[in-house]
Amino acid sequence: MNPVTKHRLIQDIFFSLQTSHSMKEMVSILSGYGITNESVNDYTQTEIKKLLATASDKVLILIADDLKIDTSNYVIQEKGKGRTTTKPKEKFLKKVFVSHSSKDKDVVTSFVQILEVIGILPENIFCTSLEGYGTGLGNNFIEEIEARLDEDVLVFFMLSDNFYKSPMCMIEMGAAWAKTKSQISVAITPFQLGKIEGVFKHFQGIQIDNELHYDMLKETLEAKFGLEPKRPLVWGPKRNIFLNMIKQQLNGK
């Protein structure tokens, strides 16, 4: 596995683990796979990624499989007696589907704008309550949702009390669970990641008003969509504009 590909896999593993585990718990989990470093006493994102970087490709693939991360882009297959290795051509995701309650429209709109800052094109984003991002006039709503969901789609579940009370969100959840492989949960404060139950707790997740989570999300989307990374001096200010907007919307200002 080349260094760039390994870095992407480490990002996916870390992002998945942090959804439901503390940094200290993550170190304990990694020790179960034989990944240890007794000198680590500062349980930070950087230190844990360094730990993961010491693991062999085989162990990283094993961890990813256990976390139900799609490893088809990372597996290296051996062919012939000469042990010539070939790596499948990377298959990037192409589209985003944002499943949400219409009652959370304002904060979801700001979230979608952050996705565009990261590099997701507007025409590749499907978000039903936003004009220009949803179904066309006269189209069957449920049929169009099902038609747009396939293995090339990353689904964001915008979780809130409103989401769980919406019959349409439950329909979208069922369709996405059956037809897609990549999902990320976004907890809309005051709803918290730690309170997620059912199938959602197994998805990668972020808190919608957490700055660190957006930095991890940016790196994950860059890897999954094959995006050109935004430079920190470009990304930081734009992220903060919409993050501050989200915080104001959550506070009802």
Side-chain angles (χ1 to χ4, degrees):
M1 196 182 306
N2 66 52
V4 174
T5 301
K6 186 171 183 176
H7 173 74
R8 289 175 176 172
L9 180 55
I10 288 172
Q11 285 294 133
D12 277 354
I13 291 173
F14 179 85
F15 196 41
S16 183
L17 282 172
Q18 64 84 35
T19 300
S20 53
H21 300 284
S22 68
M23 296 293 183
K24 190 173 183 178
E25 289 171 341
M26 289 164 65
V27 171
S28 177
I29 290 170
L30 294 181
S31 69
Y33 290 89
I35 307 173
T36 60
N37 186 341
E38 295 181 358
S39 65
V40 174
N41 50 27
D42 185 14
Y43 300 111
T44 64
Q45 174 182 339
T46 300
E47 291 299 329
I48 291 175
K49 286 183 179 180
K50 285 182 179 179
L51 266 181
L52 284 166
T54 65
S56 67
D57 295 354
K58 185 177 180 179
V59 171
L60 289 176
I61 292 292
L62 177 61
I63 296 172
D65 285 339
D66 289 345
L67 291 170
K68 301 188 184 304
I69 295 171
D70 182 7
T71 58
S72 60
N73 289 338
Y74 303 111
V75 176
I76 298 176
Q77 299 177 338
E78 291 190 356
K79 290 187 177 182
K81 296 181 179 180
R83 294 189 177 182
T84 300
T85 60
T86 59
K87 178 174 173 284
K89 183 179 180 181
E90 289 194 64
K91 181 180 179 182
F92 296 115
L93 296 175
K94 298 177 181 178
K95 296 167 287 185
V96 166
F97 177 82
V98 183
S99 179
H100 66 290
S101 166
S102 59
K103 294 182 179 179
D104 297 320
K105 176 181 177 180
D106 290 345
V107 70
V108 169
T109 299
S110 298
F111 177 78
V112 167
Q113 290 172 312
I114 290 181
L115 296 183
E116 292 183 19
V117 170
I118 292 172
I120 306 297
L121 298 176
E123 58 265 31
N124 291 333
I125 300 174
F126 184 68
C127 185
T128 54
S129 68
L130 275 62
E131 186 175 350
Y133 294 83
T135 59
L137 294 176
N139 291 352
N140 183 296
F141 184 77
I142 296 177
E143 287 182 358
E144 182 156 353
I145 287 176
E146 292 182 344
R148 288 175 179 263
L149 292 176
D150 56 41
E151 293 185 358
D152 290 332
V153 175
L154 170 65
V155 180
F156 284 100
F157 294 108
M158 310 299 291
L159 302 184
S160 66
D161 290 334
N162 294 326
F163 183 96
Y164 281 103
K165 292 176 183 178
S166 167
M168 184 53 64
C169 288
M170 295 298 100
I171 291 174
E172 292 175 357
M173 179 194 72
W177 179 251
K179 300 185 69 175
T180 66
K181 291 184 178 180
S182 298
Q183 302 96 8
I184 293 177
S185 299
V186 181
I188 299 178
T189 309
F191 196 90
Q192 297 292 313
L193 281 176
K195 295 182 180 180
I196 294 176
E197 297 181 353
V199 297
F200 289 117
K201 71 180 181 180
H202 300 296
F203 298 163
Q204 300 175 8
I206 67 171
Q207 197 72 36
I208 199 167
D209 54 354
N210 186 304
E211 179 179 324
L212 175 60
H213 285 188
Y214 279 106
D215 291 338
M216 292 189 295
L217 177 64
K218 171 181 174 290
E219 293 184 4
T220 297
L221 294 185
E222 287 169 350
K224 288 183 178 292
F225 286 81
L227 302 174
E228 184 71 25
K230 291 286 190 299
R231 298 188 302 278
L233 291 177
V234 174
W235 157 247
K238 291 184 178 180
R239 174 204 60 206
N240 292 341
I241 289 173
F242 293 109
L243 181 57
N244 289 335
M245 192 178 300
I246 285 172
K247 291 178 178 179
Q248 290 175 1
Q249 289 164 335
L250 293 174
N251 292 328
K253 295 182 180 179

